[in-house]
Amino acid sequence: MKTVYANTRHPKLILWGSIAIGAIGVACLVLYIVFSNESYLFSVFYSLIYFAVFFSQYKLSSYTFDDEADTITYSELKKYPLKMSDITTVIYKESKKGRFRKLFVHDSGTGFMEILTSKANADKMVAQILKANPAAKVSHANYI
């Protein structure tokens, strides 16, 4: 059974919203080049475009857990799946205050995956990993 963990419930809305923000940023940049010479406005328009690209990349990423194939696949790196039965370590990376940042999964060899998702999705993912490999160690690491 395949389980897909996405970072959004509305991927089309996020995609079109990011495209709209990027288009507005490009249009404002063109207007800035044509009508103005103030340098601080360029950084505002550039940041709109930058925000749209990286926000959509984060929100549109998804992770597929396939129980039959025993693999974890990231939507942007489908060539390199990680086998759930080979996973030895799962680390919840948190801030010093205890706020969840990301999930780090490492197998017995050199394979690893950093999963950027919500805490609720991370808990579901870890439960699914532990179901496939009960010997995997789960730990918490506090970073800045």
Side-chain angles (χ1 to χ4, degrees), residues 78-92:
K78 292 182 181 179
K79 283 183 168 181
Y80 307 106
L82 194 63
K83 292 189 72 65
M84 285 194 281
S85 59
D86 291 343
I87 293 174
T88 58
T89 308
V90 178
I91 301 172
Y92 285 90

Side-chain angles (χ1 to χ4, degrees), residues 20-50:
I21 290 172
I24 290 169
V26 169
C28 291
L29 181 62
V30 168
L31 290 174
Y32 162 73
I33 291 170
V34 172
F35 294 117
S36 179
N37 272 336
E38 298 179 26
S39 63
Y40 68 90
L41 288 176
F42 175 73
S43 62
V44 172
F45 302 139
Y46 179 73
S47 64
L48 276 176
I49 298 167
Y50 190 77

